[in-house]
Amino acid sequence: MNELPCPPDAHGEEFECRVRTGDIAAAFFGHDHTNTFTAEIDGIKLVQSPGAGFHAYGTKRGGRLIVIDENKPYEYTSELIFPEWQFSEE
């Protein structure tokens, strides 16, 4: 990881509700952090994406493309997209 996760101090019931629903394949998160990873908990993939805004900190800024077929939602594809200028060696 590029930085430590910073979960909230209070524990809500949001994740447990998602698990009880039984039909959620994944949840995607992004903000202004530098981490990019996927973890699976209780059958739900939790996917962290990098910061996408110009005011995000860290060196990796980009986005995540998610392609979902409505007939096969559990077989989605996901890929990170980073702008080429970010990796200039000049």
Side-chain angles (χ1 to χ4, degrees):
M1 283 194 244
N2 296 314
E3 66 179 330
L4 293 173
C6 49
D9 294 331
H11 176 71
E13 295 289 321
E14 183 178 352
F15 185 75
E16 288 78 6
C17 289
R18 290 178 182 184
V19 172
R20 281 194 301 269
T21 300
D23 63 353
I24 296 177
F28 295 87
F29 306 94
H31 176 53
D32 64 351
H33 298 282
T34 61
N35 288 331
T36 57
F37 59 83
T38 300
E40 186 169 331
I41 300 174
D42 294 334
I44 298 176
K45 288 185 181 172
L46 304 174
V47 185
Q48 175 68 39
S49 298
F54 286 105
H55 298 290
Y57 60 87
T59 58
K60 287 190 174 182
R61 294 187 187 120
R64 182 177 295 277
L65 173 66
I66 305 160
V67 179
I68 303 171
D69 179 339
E70 65 182 285
N71 297 310
K72 301 176 188 176
Y74 284 87
E75 297 177 23
Y76 69 88
T77 61
S78 169
E79 92 181 78
L80 288 172
I81 299 173
F82 293 105
E84 290 181 23
W85 56 263
Q86 202 166 251
F87 298 101
S88 173
E89 294 185 22
E90 296 178 3

